[in-house]
Structure formats: structure tokens, C-alpha cells
Amino acid sequence: MSGGTKGEHHQTVPLSVLLQRELASEKIEKPEIVSGQAGQSKKGEDFTLIKTECQRVVGDGVSTFSVFGLFDGHNGTAAAIYSKENLLNNVLIAGFVKTDKDFQEKGQKSGTTVTFVIIEGWVVTVASVGDSRCVLESGEGGLYYLSADHRLETNEEERVRITSSGGEVGRLNTGGGTEVGPLRCWPGGLCLSRSIGDMDIGEFIVPVPYVKQVKLSTAGGRLVICSDGVWDSLSAETVLDSCRGMSAETAASHIVKEAVEAKGLRDDTTCIVVDILPQEKPPAPAPQRKKKGIKSMFRKKSSESSSYNDKDYLEPDVVEELYEEGSAMLSERLDTKYPLCNMFKLFMCAVCQVEIKPGEGVSIFEGAPNPRKLRPWDGPFLCTSCQDKKEAMEGKKATGRHSSGSDDD
């Protein structure tokens, strides 16, 4: 199931379903994955996850994939560590929301950004909350952004979502009407609109990720995943240009060094570099980028682009966008065909995966302004506690959480 370009109507799918794409029929040889990581610590709240040669059952066979995660914690390390240890298992079931819900039950108040990358064959899936980012330079030289920045200062759509749900967005008031610093969500004072954890701040800060999935050509490419310690100092173009010609390990160290030299070590500064390479070629950087500008939107597929006169669009596609979705509304993200893995357990919570007795589950469409005509077995369903979380995230239920300041990054 593919997403369309922005402005087109398309059906959204949860991350767990997205990762069930059947890749076993691919005849192209899988790429070689070479990675490196580096970091300099200021607060000790950045954590990384690198797992290669992971396996999962696909149809009658087994598919191999690699995982790369970056977790930038705030108000402590607990949320970042918990997400690092649990998110992979949860992504293959119910995703970021389950990880957030399980962590909040521990009663700890820290939070974390997450940039989570899964590489399966030539397909790259990125799910992200917060302000750590992932960029791709394709083997042909194109630059692509694969994550969203959930800083309130720069994301107007997220500001509107929070205020529409009953939250407030503003700067820190130092008294006398003087406001300083970045835009923050109140109560709580976090400058991010999405994260995992942050239970003391309120449900306006949601754990629902922006997801983008792309398919590379067999020329491969280079992924760079960094915490905001890098992106606050260097642009994506500077990052990629500065490490061209280097191995992944050397590139990661060089990027961190360049970021710290640019503005000093003001925050944890972490970088993961992943090279996706044809098997027959030794590790090598991407070629010099073509002078076509940054591709913030992907080209149309070749079958859709024949009407363009620009010769650039007559070239064969080098990176194909398979899916993009950034809605923060849980009901929109779960509004899809029920996952195949649940066919024999129809009444199962779509988030926490607990079995629900018939009649006890709450449809995700409950309370919708114009709910479609539902049959008793129409899912997905939520258990009572997950329905409470959904309503709180959408501003329909008071959380009773206390306002407090936040030492976020």
C-alpha cells in the first residue's frame, strides 16, 4: 500500500503494517550495509542502537533487515534507555505509542526524541519524533530529507495542532512581559511537539511518529542520522560535503568534530553514518551531488511524469517514495485494513496488543464527528486505557498532569 504525494487522498497505515511489505519476491541482490558512529557527550543523554542481520518471518521465508536508532533524551536518561531497549520489538507490533504507554506506566518523567531507521533490501523506512534528523544522499547525488523536525519554533502545523487541542504555545516569560527562548508547549515548557515519555508535561506532546519509506536504486546511497547537536551547527549539505570520500566510521567522527568546532560542545552531539552499497563494490562515498537543489518532495513515478517538459523529469527515477505520513491523530494512523496477523484475534488492542473480550473494545472511530457506519466487528479496537490515551492526545480528556519546567535540548 503506497502513500500519495501531499494533497492527494491516500489511506494511512500503522508502522507495523508498513513493515509487513512483501519483499521476498525481489530478485535484485541485497546491498551491503556498512555503518559507523561517533559522539561527544555534554549531558550524557544521547543513546544509539545498531543491529544488523535481524530476521523476521515474511510469508514462507525469512527476511533480513538492519536497524539504526538515535535516542536524544531530556530530563534524564530513562526514556531514551527504555526506548532503545524496547522500541524494536514494539515497532514490529504496535509502534511508538505502545513504547510510550509502557514507559509512562513506570512513573518516570524523562522524555526522548527518536529517529528509527529500518533497512530491508533497498527499502529504507524512517520513523521519527522530535528534532533528531535523518538525511539521505543517493548514489546518484540527490539529497533527501527522511524525517520531520518537531520543534515548535519551526513547525507551524504542530503549533496549530496543540492549540486546537487545548494546549498553549509560547516563549518563557521572565516577568514584565519579556519573553525569551524558543517556542514551547505549556504546561510543561517542552520545545518539541512529539516525543516518547514526558508524562509530566501533558498529552499534547504525542509519540505518534512521522514515517517515510523510500526505495533506493541499486546505486545505493549514504544515510546520516544525527542528534540536534549536529544540526544546530551544520546544514545537511555541509554535513554530506564535509565527509565525502571517507568511510562510514571516519565520516561519523568527522561530522561530530566539525559540529563541535563550529559552535562548541553545547549539547550531546551524536552521529550515525550508514552506507548502502552494491555487493560487488567496496565501501565508497556517494558521488559529487548534482546541482539540482534539495529534493524536499520526491519526483513522480516515471509513468506519471510524461507530461513534464523539464528534462530533469525525463530522467529515470533514482529514489522512489513508497510512503509518507505525518498525522499526529491516532485514529487516522490506524484507519486501515486490520493487520493480517490479527485475523484470528479480531478483538485485540491495536496499540498495546492485549486481547479484548467481545463488547469491551472501543472502536478507533468512537466519538468521531462523522463516524462511518460500523459493524460490531469493524476494527481496529482499543482497550479502555489506550482509548483514554487517544482521547487525551486529541485534547478530548483532561490529563490532570502538573505543569513543570522542562530541561529539554
Side-chain angles (χ1 to χ4, degrees):
M1 189 182 301
S2 297
T5 57
K6 289 183 178 178
E8 295 179 1
H9 173 75
H10 66 277
Q11 192 174 35
T12 62
V13 296
L15 182 58
S16 56
V17 177
L18 188 63
L19 293 174
Q20 295 298 323
R21 290 182 183 278
E22 178 68 65
L23 299 177
S25 61
E26 292 284 351
K27 303 300 182 183
I28 302 173
E29 187 175 13
K30 290 186 177 181
E32 179 182 4
I33 307 298
V34 180
S35 67
Q37 64 174 318
Q40 289 195 35
S41 177
K42 177 72 172 181
K43 304 176 184 176
E45 295 176 334
D46 277 9
F47 295 86
T48 60
L49 172 67
I50 296 180
K51 291 178 70 72
T52 58
E53 301 299 321
C54 301
Q55 292 186 331
R56 66 185 181 93
V57 176
V58 178
D60 295 329
V62 175
S63 177
T64 301
F65 62 97
S66 298
V67 174
F68 302 89
L70 177 53
F71 310 86
D72 182 357
H74 46 263
N75 287 344
T77 62
I81 294 172
Y82 185 86
S83 298
K84 172 182 176 176
E85 293 176 348
N86 293 277
L87 185 57
L88 176 57
N89 290 334
N90 289 341
V91 160
L92 296 179
I93 302 172
F96 283 51
V97 180
K98 174 174 169 54
T99 303
D100 178 80
K101 182 171 180 283
D102 291 348
F103 175 71
Q104 291 196 1
E105 289 176 355
K106 295 180 175 295
Q108 300 190 53
K109 297 181 179 181
S110 65
T112 188
T113 74
V114 178
T115 301
F116 201 75
V117 180
I118 294 180
I119 303 173
E120 191 166 20
W122 299 97
V123 175
V124 178
T125 305
V126 182
S128 60
V129 293
D131 59 359
S132 298
R133 299 179 216 161
C134 175
V135 297
L136 162 70
E137 186 173 58
S138 69
E140 295 82 3
L143 171 58
Y144 302 87
Y145 290 102
L146 301 186
S147 58
D149 189 342
H150 293 130
R151 287 188 183 184
L152 290 167
E153 187 72 32
T154 58
N155 196 318
E156 180 181 3
E157 186 175 352
E158 288 292 273
R159 295 197 298 267
V160 171
R161 175 184 66 79
I162 287 174
T163 55
S164 299
S165 298
E168 296 183 11
V169 175
R171 305 185 193 282
L172 185 65
N173 193 326
T174 59
T178 303
E179 295 184 341
V180 297
L183 288 174
R184 300 174 182 272
C185 176
W186 305 97
L190 191 68
C191 66
L192 305 174
S193 61
R194 303 195 195 187
S195 69
I196 287 179
D198 292 312
M199 68 170 295
D200 59 327
I201 291 177
E203 298 287 1
F204 304 119
I205 309 301
V206 301
V208 183
Y210 170 90
V211 177
K212 182 159 241 175
Q213 186 180 68
V214 298
K215 185 175 182 180
L216 278 61
S217 76
T218 53
R222 167 168 282 184
L223 292 172
V224 178
I225 311 158
C226 298
S227 63
D228 62 337
V230 169
W231 302 122
D232 285 346
S233 300
L234 305 173
S235 68
E237 299 96 319
T238 300
V239 163
L240 290 164
D241 288 344
S242 72
C243 65
R244 190 167 284 107
M246 301 178 184
S247 67
E249 190 73 44
T250 303
S253 297
H254 182 74
I255 290 168
V256 170
K257 178 175 175 287
E258 289 287 303
V260 172
E261 287 183 352
K263 292 192 175 180
L265 185 61
R266 303 187 300 179
D267 194 3
D268 293 336
T269 304
T270 305
C271 175
I272 303 172
V273 174
V274 184
D275 287 335
I276 304 169
L277 305 165
Q279 287 280 4
E280 68 273 11
K281 293 183 180 180
Q288 186 68 34
R289 191 180 316 118
K290 297 177 181 179
K291 302 296 184 180
K292 293 183 180 178
I294 299 172
K295 297 172 177 62
S296 57
M297 289 296 293
F298 287 74
R299 301 179 192 172
K300 297 281 187 180
K301 294 181 181 179
S302 56
S303 62
E304 301 172 351
S305 60
S306 58
S307 62
Y308 285 99
N309 294 322
D310 190 326
K311 64 180 180 180
D312 286 350
Y313 285 95
L314 297 179
E315 297 178 5
D317 288 330
V318 293
V319 173
E320 178 186 0
E321 179 181 3
L322 302 180
Y323 181 86
E324 179 182 25
E325 180 56 53
S327 171
M329 303 298 286
L330 195 57
S331 56
E332 293 180 10
R333 302 299 288 270
L334 295 174
D335 182 8
T336 182
K337 293 180 180 178
Y338 220 44
L340 184 64
C341 60
N342 288 349
M343 285 187 66
F344 300 102
K345 293 183 178 180
L346 185 60
F347 293 98
M348 176 181 284
C349 177
V351 171
C352 69
Q353 299 292 292
V354 300
E355 290 192 50
I356 308 170
K357 294 179 180 179
E360 290 184 358
V362 182
S363 168
I364 63 166
F365 305 104
E366 184 80 16
N370 298 299
R372 66 186 189 186
K373 187 174 181 180
L374 297 174
R375 298 166 297 181
W377 56 86
D378 278 341
F381 297 95
L382 301 176
C383 66
T384 302
S385 65
C386 287
Q387 173 66 10
D388 288 345
K389 182 174 183 63
K390 170 181 172 292
E391 290 183 352
M393 287 165 56
E394 296 174 358
K396 299 175 182 176
K397 182 175 181 177
T399 63
R401 291 179 176 173
H402 300 292
S403 171
S404 64
S406 174
D407 179 25
D408 61 279
D409 40 296

